[in-house]
Amino acid sequence: MNSVVLIGRLTRDPELRYTAGSQMAVATFTVAIDRPVRSGGEKQTDFPRVTVFGKQAENCEKYLAKGRLVGVQGRLQTGSYTNKDGATVYTTDVVADRVEFLEWGDRPQGSSQGGFGQGGFGQSSQGSGSDAAPSGFSAIDEDIPF
């Protein structure tokens, strides 16, 4: 069985390209995933590269940005290539079947950084303030008892 489920934050904006023959969209990005810390141990982080195809790749490029939290479901795929020095480099990538946007929204126009950390979930730079709800959503009542 080859199945992977990951939750982590993007280390940079997704890169989108199209295949030569079929013009299928292919997006790649790297996710930072913290390992559980054992008592007395140091924090360790893994940075797997994720590849996603088709319409989902286009959506990743459109809505994801550096720092956003994502869930990825897919499979591991290994490969190798020869670099410019003639050495063989081995790779392990996650080929995503499904990418869940756990924090998402439109990227602000003219910015490659996205809006994460500056306005919350998906608020664009045209928002009326940090307390405004995105269009289509209602404000949350702060007096919820749970």
Side-chain angles (χ1 to χ4, degrees):
M1 184 182 314
N2 184 353
S3 182
V4 176
V5 177
L6 306 170
I7 295 177
R9 294 194 180 275
L10 272 70
T11 61
R12 58 186 165 85
D13 291 347
E15 294 178 12
L16 184 69
R17 58 184 167 77
Y18 291 87
T19 60
S22 64
Q23 289 297 307
M24 178 181 284
V26 180
T28 57
F29 54 90
T30 302
V31 180
I33 303 166
D34 291 332
R35 292 185 193 172
V37 179
R38 298 183 189 261
S39 61
E42 290 186 35
K43 177 180 166 183
Q44 294 182 333
T45 305
D46 292 309
F47 299 96
R49 190 172 102 151
V50 177
T51 303
V52 60
F53 296 93
K55 183 69 173 171
Q56 195 164 207
E58 293 172 345
N59 286 335
C60 285
E61 193 273 334
K62 183 175 180 181
Y63 294 108
L64 292 179
K66 179 180 178 179
R68 295 250 171 90
L69 187 66
V70 295
V72 177
Q73 181 180 7
R75 62 183 168 83
L76 287 178
Q77 180 172 300
T78 58
S80 65
Y81 64 92
T82 305
N83 67 12
K84 62 184 177 185
D85 299 327
T88 301
V89 177
Y90 296 94
T91 61
T92 301
D93 294 333
V94 175
V95 177
D97 296 323
R98 182 175 172 184
V99 177
E100 289 287 328
F101 303 161
L102 303 178
E103 295 176 343
W104 64 290
D106 287 326
R107 284 191 191 169
Q109 296 299 324
S111 170
S112 64
Q113 289 291 328
F116 182 72
Q118 297 177 4
F121 304 104
Q123 284 186 336
S124 67
S125 57
Q126 298 120 354
S128 60
S130 62
D131 293 334
S135 63
F137 291 89
S138 301
I140 296 175
D141 182 6
E142 296 294 330
D143 295 329
I144 297 175
F146 51 87

